[in-house]
Amino acid sequence: MKRNIISLEEASIILEPHYSNIVNSIVGGFEDYQKISEFANTLGRPVTFGGCTKGSLIHDQIRVRITEQYEESNLFEARKWNNIFALKLEDDVLIRFKKLDKNKGIANYRTEQHIKFMAQSLIDGFPDQPTFLFAGYIPDKTWTSIRGVYIACWNGKTIEWFDEIGKYCVRQLNIFEEPATEELEKRFRVRLKNKFKIQSEQKTGTNE
């Protein structure tokens, strides 16, 4: 059984009062990571963090900042559900915070819970009503700046819509649909590659 998926227009009305909190927390969390990285390199030996470490450090800083923004609210909740940190805006949306790839995809382990979250399924331990959303950032190749901050709504392997915090948006795209033009393919086509394929679909004999 699936939950209700709100439209981009509905989401914009709900999210608009929270855009500054979300953007400031994500950008601030990224800047916090840069300071941590700079400090680590003052300890006597150069340190190069791996991608997972960078993402975890940034996520932890975002979590702290979001929690501070909403800790005194009676309407909105910033806490963990099944060990997953998220921001719940009444019964409308529940937002996770993640690093995104250029196609607004989410890099994550293919756990049953993650697959259900992507599919907008009902999950024990999570509220039943809110639409599941992702708020995330796309870093540049050197992890020295952010290319954009986005809100994305996924439904299984389809991205229903995404919004660059009001700057640009696009509606439903499916990984099996060919874009109408080369430019659309360049900008919008969703490529989930191996990371969103269910293990049973992989017949390569590898563990990737």
Side-chain angles (χ1 to χ4, degrees):
M1 185 175 179
K2 290 193 174 185
R3 63 190 60 245
N4 177 58
I5 301 177
I6 62 175
S7 68
L8 173 62
E9 290 77 12
E10 292 172 314
S12 296
I13 294 171
I14 296 165
L15 294 170
E16 186 173 7
H18 304 275
Y19 279 157
S20 61
N21 285 346
I22 291 172
V23 172
N24 290 339
S25 294
I26 290 175
V27 173
F30 190 88
E31 292 174 346
D32 291 341
Y33 149 72
Q34 290 181 310
K35 293 174 183 176
I36 293 171
S37 180
E38 291 172 1
F39 174 74
N41 282 284
T42 67
L43 301 178
R45 59 180 60 86
V47 177
T48 301
F49 293 120
C52 291
T53 301
K54 294 174 183 177
S56 294
L57 289 171
I58 294 168
H59 180 273
D60 286 345
Q61 297 303 316
I62 293 172
R63 173 177 53 79
V64 170
R65 287 172 173 270
I66 287 289
T67 300
E68 289 175 349
Q69 293 287 343
Y70 293 95
E71 61 186 351
E72 296 183 3
S73 173
N74 294 322
L75 293 175
F76 314 120
E77 294 181 75
R79 64 177 182 87
K80 288 186 176 183
W81 286 266
N82 286 4
N83 206 36
I84 297 297
F85 177 78
L87 172 63
K88 179 174 172 283
L89 304 180
E90 299 189 71
D91 288 326
D92 298 313
V93 298
L94 189 141
I95 308 168
R96 290 181 65 180
F97 297 86
K98 300 292 293 182
K99 171 190 170 295
L100 306 177
D101 63 26
K102 64 181 180 180
N103 298 307
K104 318 307 175 292
I106 297 91
N108 210 333
Y109 297 109
R110 293 185 297 272
T111 63
E112 181 180 356
Q113 180 167 273
H114 176 67
I115 293 171
K116 287 183 176 181
F117 197 100
M118 291 286 291
Q120 301 286 344
S121 300
L122 300 184
I123 306 174
D124 289 341
F126 284 83
D128 292 341
Q129 291 181 285
T131 299
F132 287 153
L133 303 178
F134 290 92
Y137 61 96
I138 299 178
D140 67 2
K141 291 182 179 180
T142 62
W143 288 77
T144 57
S145 64
I146 291 177
R147 292 180 175 179
V149 177
Y150 301 86
I151 303 288
C153 179
W154 283 85
N155 184 7
K157 295 181 179 180
T158 299
I159 186 167
E160 291 289 335
W161 52 261
F162 70 81
D163 185 8
E164 190 179 359
I165 308 299
K167 291 183 179 180
Y168 181 78
C169 59
V170 63
R171 289 173 184 77
Q172 190 175 48
L173 297 172
N174 189 285
I175 61 172
F176 302 113
E177 293 177 355
E178 291 294 331
T181 67
E182 183 176 345
E183 178 64 17
L184 283 176
E185 180 175 359
K186 179 180 178 183
R187 295 177 62 190
F188 305 139
R189 189 179 182 192
V190 180
R191 298 180 185 275
L192 299 185
K193 300 182 181 179
N194 290 334
K195 63 185 175 184
F196 290 131
K197 289 181 181 179
I198 300 174
Q199 187 68 31
S200 62
E201 294 178 344
Q202 296 181 328
K203 300 180 180 180
T204 63
T206 68
N207 291 324
E208 297 180 359

